[in-house]
């Protein structure tokens, strides 16, 4: 159900809740102002596009999303992907990719994939978010220190060029950037300023200083991008062609996957803070609608923003009304305060992104995982991190997930046990069924764990080691929760090989799911219906043993 309807059903849209949600929405709107512009500039587009994205996407997610307290907009996690798309395909290409990503997200929600995306392993998420944090941090050095334009296709090339350019640092730009950084970090720690957003204070104070002293060497929004329009964008459909769709399908999937992951992570965090419960599939549908609408009204990719959602909760936001007010606040800022943004130094926005990058990297958590996590998880973490920084985010996530899956399969395969049960072990069960001992030439094997492609080798090796005097092989499947196609093929191979040796095979204690798959594969027919039984006692009778 839509977040707005859910809030209405819970009674959160009634008059007593208006004030707290309006106040929270205004505060979040003010906090979103510098972040939206900073993320837009870092993504290679004009600052007003970040504001349009926050307005449109924030409104859409508040109405159609699956979390009633989620705040959406441009985020730092997207910067690396979006900047690459903009550089290669232009702003129009970025908007087409965003629109396509919105459709993909919408389909994810309809296909009920919300729960599946949550299963991406923690080392992969920590690795790529830390890597993104490093890329954002290094990417802002140019504006923070007033360095000349840096070129380079890869991260290490840009990093080396930045080091070489440091002697050309602009002192006025660096001074304003350092002041901005101090204000962003320490404003909320000063007495009486606990709820005052540090980024907003830095934006106002440093913009006033630049307006008064007019440092010629300091790059500003006005000197770099021109004035921000004092109007809202009209509806405009990008020039979509089949060739562009094919060209941008990869970037669109990258935006969709990252947007799905971050929005659901944000929803989980907000649930923990507010004691709510989100609908993950509806959240993906809401994010899909937001990313379809944003590029049609001058914006680009958006997702759930953890920092703004947390700000919303801390300031009393309990319903989608706060998200709607957040969007309206940004509308009013554009209509009435846009001309004053011309003197905003890019160094201030770079300082804000420094803090965003630090928070995103979760450096303490990253180091703690390296020190305390199992070695395989540490390897996955570091591989994902270094691939994110030095190669590509999409490649990093893909390889990280593949490594995590292989590690999981290896552990699952190692947990599968196929062992022979001795007569001493079976004594109590045999007596309970009325037997005193196993007949000559009868061997009993127990399988513990799923019989899947990763465990086939252990299964085959255990049965191949059986003594040559084998006449009847009883395979106990009571602790086999499921069996896949490869496991069925392995079982069929064992059946064929041992039948050629004149050995009879009896399967016992299989659950309904496993027995159904054995039937579909035709193994029950090959064995004979009498050789698939429910208990060990029945298996003993089939192999010719008589009760004592």
């Amino acid at each position: 159900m839509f977040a707005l309807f859910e809030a209405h059903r819970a009674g959160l849209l009634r008059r007593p809740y208006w004030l707290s949600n309006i106040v929270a929405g205004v505060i979040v709107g003010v906090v979103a102002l510098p972040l939206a512009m900073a993320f837009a500039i870092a993504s290679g587009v004009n600052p007003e596009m970040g504001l349009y994205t926050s307005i449109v996407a924030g409104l859409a997610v508040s109405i159609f999303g699956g979390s009633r307290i989620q705040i959406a907009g441009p985020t730092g996690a997207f910067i690396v992907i979006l900047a690459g798309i903009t550089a290669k395909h232009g702003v129009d290409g970025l908007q087409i990719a965003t629109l396509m990503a919105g459709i993909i997200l919408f389909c994810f929600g309809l296909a009920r994939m919300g729960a599946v995306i949550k299963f991406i392993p923690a080392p992969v998420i920590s690795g790529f978010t830390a890597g993104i944090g490093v890329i954002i941090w290094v990417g802002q050095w140019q504006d923070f220190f007033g360095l000349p334009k840096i070129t380079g296709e890869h991260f290490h090339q840009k990093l080396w060029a930045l080091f070489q350019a440091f002697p050309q640092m602009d002192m006025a730009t660096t001074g304003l950037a350092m002041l901005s950084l101090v204000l962003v970090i320490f404003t909320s720690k000063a007495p009486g300023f606990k709820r005052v957003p540090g980024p907003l204070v830095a934006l106002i104070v440093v913009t006033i200083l630049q307006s008064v002293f007019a440092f010629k060497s300091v790059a500003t929004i006005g000197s770099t991008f021109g004035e921000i329009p004092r109007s809202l964008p009209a509806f405009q459909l990008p020039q979509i062609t089949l060739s562009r769709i094919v060209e941008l399908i990869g970037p669109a999937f990258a935006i969709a996957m990252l947007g799905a992951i971050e929005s659901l992570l944000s929803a989980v965090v907000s649930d923990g803070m507010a004691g709510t419960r989100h609908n993950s599939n509806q959240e993906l549908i809401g994010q899909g609608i937001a990313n379809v609408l944003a590029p049609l009204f001058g914006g680009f990719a958006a997702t759930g923003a953890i920092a703004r959602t947390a700000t919303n909760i801390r300031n009393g936001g309990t319903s989608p009304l706060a998200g709607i007010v957040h969007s309206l606040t940004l509308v009013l800022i554009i209509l009435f305060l846009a001309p004053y943004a011309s003197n905003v130094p890019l160094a201030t926005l770079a300082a804000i992104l420094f803090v965003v990058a630090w928070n995103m990297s979760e450096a303490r958590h990253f180091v703690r995982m390296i020190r305390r996590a199992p070695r395989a998880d540490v390897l996955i973490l570091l591989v994902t991190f270094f691939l994110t920084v030095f190669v590509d985010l999409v490649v990093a996530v893909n390889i990280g997930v593949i490594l995590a899956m292989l590690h999981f399969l290896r552990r699952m395969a190692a947990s599968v046990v196929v062992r022979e049960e001795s007569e001493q072990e079976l004594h109590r069960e045999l007596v309970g069924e009325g037997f005193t001992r196993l007949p000559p030439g009868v061997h009993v094997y127990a399988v513990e764990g799923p019989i899947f492609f990763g465990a086939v080798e252990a299964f085959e090796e255990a049965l191949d080691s059986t003594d040559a005097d084998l006449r009847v092989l009883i395979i106990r499947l009571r602790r086999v929760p499921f069996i896949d196609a490869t496991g069925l093929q392995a079982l069929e191979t064992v059946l064929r090989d041992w039948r050629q040796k004149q050995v009879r095979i009896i399967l016992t204690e299989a659950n309904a799911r496993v027995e159904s798959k054995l039937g579909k594969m035709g193994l029950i027919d090959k064995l004979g219906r009498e050789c698939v039984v429910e208990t060990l006692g029945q298996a003993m009778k089939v192999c010719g043993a008589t009760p004592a």
Side-chain angles (χ1 to χ4, degrees):
M1 184 178 291
F2 296 167
L4 196 62
F5 293 164
E6 185 69 25
H8 174 72
R9 192 174 68 173
L12 294 172
L13 299 181
R14 292 182 300 184
R15 189 181 297 272
Y17 297 97
W18 286 6
L19 182 60
S20 62
N21 281 284
I22 290 173
V23 170
V26 171
I27 293 173
V28 174
V30 170
V31 170
L33 173 66
L35 293 175
M37 293 192 294
F39 292 146
I41 292 171
S43 299
V45 298
N46 290 343
E48 64 266 21
M49 291 185 68
L51 298 175
Y52 299 155
T53 303
S54 291
I55 292 169
V56 177
L59 192 62
V61 169
S62 293
I63 295 173
F64 300 110
S67 170
R68 59 177 181 252
I69 47 180
Q70 179 91 284
I71 303 295
T75 66
F78 273 142
I79 288 175
V80 177
I81 290 179
L82 302 189
I85 296 173
T86 306
K88 187 174 181 179
H89 303 284
V91 175
D92 196 51
L94 173 61
Q95 291 183 315
I96 294 172
T98 299
L99 196 153
M100 292 167 62
I103 296 172
I104 294 169
L105 282 167
F106 189 86
C107 293
F108 280 174
L110 291 181
R112 308 186 69 80
M113 293 184 63
V116 175
I117 293 172
K118 293 179 185 177
F119 295 140
I120 294 179
V124 176
I125 293 175
S126 296
F128 82 71
T129 53
I132 291 170
V134 170
I135 294 173
I136 293 173
W137 177 56
V138 173
Q140 295 306 306
W141 287 6
Q142 179 179 321
D143 290 335
F144 190 93
F145 297 107
L147 303 176
K149 186 173 179 60
I150 301 299
T151 58
E153 183 178 355
H154 301 291
F155 176 83
H156 65 277
Q157 295 170 333
K158 294 177 183 177
L159 183 62
W160 180 243
L162 285 167
F163 281 131
Q164 290 180 313
F166 263 115
Q168 303 176 60
M169 177 192 306
D170 181 68
M171 297 310 297
T173 300
T174 305
L176 291 179
M178 294 300 294
L179 174 61
S180 301
L181 189 60
V182 169
L183 291 172
V184 171
I185 296 173
F186 294 106
T187 294
S188 60
K189 298 179 181 179
F193 287 83
K194 186 176 180 180
R195 291 197 172 188
V196 178
L200 179 66
V201 173
L203 191 73
I204 294 172
V205 171
V206 181
T207 300
I208 290 173
L209 288 176
Q210 175 61 23
S211 300
V212 171
F213 294 101
F215 298 107
K216 293 183 180 179
S217 60
V218 175
T220 64
I221 287 179
S223 65
T224 307
F225 301 100
E227 289 192 359
I228 293 179
R230 294 182 62 179
S231 61
L232 298 178
F235 175 88
Q236 185 173 359
L237 188 67
Q239 296 296 318
I240 302 174
T241 62
L242 181 59
S243 61
R244 300 222 75 181
I245 291 174
V246 173
E247 184 181 34
L248 293 167
I249 189 66
F253 263 102
I255 293 173
M257 288 301 299
L258 188 56
I261 293 168
E262 188 167 8
S263 65
L264 294 179
L265 281 176
S266 178
V268 170
V269 170
S270 66
D271 284 347
M273 293 180 66
T276 57
R277 188 174 181 180
H278 75 280
N279 182 322
S280 57
N281 296 314
Q282 185 60 49
E283 181 63 22
L284 292 181
I285 290 174
Q287 295 291 340
I289 294 171
N291 281 280
V292 168
L293 293 177
L296 299 179
F297 292 93
F300 55 96
T303 186
I306 295 176
R308 274 159 277 176
T309 300
T311 302
N312 180 37
I313 296 168
R314 292 192 190 105
N315 288 279
T318 59
S319 77
L321 179 61
I324 294 170
V325 171
H326 139 268
S327 296
L328 295 177
T329 301
L330 290 172
V331 169
L332 294 176
I333 289 173
I334 288 178
L335 294 179
F336 297 105
L337 301 177
Y340 299 102
S342 295
N343 287 326
V344 174
L346 298 186
T348 298
L349 300 180
I352 292 171
L353 288 180
F354 267 27
V355 177
V356 169
W358 170 260
N359 293 334
M360 178 178 294
S361 69
E362 295 186 307
R364 294 186 182 88
H365 176 67
F366 187 87
V367 172
R368 187 164 59 250
M369 285 191 69
I370 291 176
R371 293 175 58 186
R372 299 181 182 179
R375 284 180 295 178
D377 289 337
V378 172
L379 176 64
I380 294 168
L381 173 75
L382 293 176
V383 167
T384 306
F385 171 78
F386 284 113
L387 286 176
T388 299
V389 174
F390 292 103
V391 182
D392 178 77
L393 172 63
V394 178
V395 172
V397 173
N398 288 338
I399 292 180
V401 170
I402 290 171
L403 288 176
M405 289 175 60
L406 292 174
H407 174 55
F408 173 76
L409 291 174
R410 185 182 68 83
R411 291 198 305 178
M412 285 287 291
S415 69
V416 177
V417 177
V418 183
R419 63 184 184 87
E420 184 173 7
E421 294 187 326
S422 67
E423 195 169 75
Q424 289 77 15
E425 290 179 272
L426 294 169
H427 178 71
R428 181 175 295 177
E429 284 189 74
L430 290 173
V431 171
E433 295 284 352
F435 299 93
T436 57
R437 56 173 301 170
L438 289 174
V442 175
H443 291 251
V444 179
Y445 274 79
V447 184
E448 300 176 1
I451 305 177
F452 69 109
F453 64 90
V456 164
E457 185 177 358
F459 182 76
E460 292 177 335
E461 286 179 356
L463 295 181
D464 286 343
S465 65
T466 306
D467 294 338
D469 67 342
L470 184 64
R471 181 175 62 85
V472 177
L473 177 63
I474 299 174
I475 301 177
R476 307 185 72 180
L477 302 174
R478 61 179 176 176
R479 293 179 180 171
V480 176
F482 67 86
I483 183 169
D484 72 355
T486 309
L488 288 166
Q489 289 177 1
L491 194 58
E492 186 175 25
T493 301
V494 169
L495 170 64
R496 184 183 64 248
D497 292 345
W498 285 107
R499 287 185 70 184
Q500 289 175 353
K501 299 175 185 178
Q502 304 302 313
V503 174
R504 191 176 193 184
I505 295 179
I506 302 172
L507 303 181
T508 178
E509 301 160 290
N511 64 40
R513 184 179 179 186
V514 171
E515 187 171 342
S516 172
K517 291 191 175 182
L518 293 173
K520 289 180 180 178
M521 192 71 177
L523 291 180
I524 293 179
D525 293 335
K526 292 178 181 178
L527 284 171
R529 179 71 253 186
E530 72 281 0
C531 290
V532 179
V533 296
E534 295 182 358
T535 66
L536 180 60
Q538 291 174 342
M540 294 288 288
K541 292 175 183 177
V542 172
C543 68
T546 55

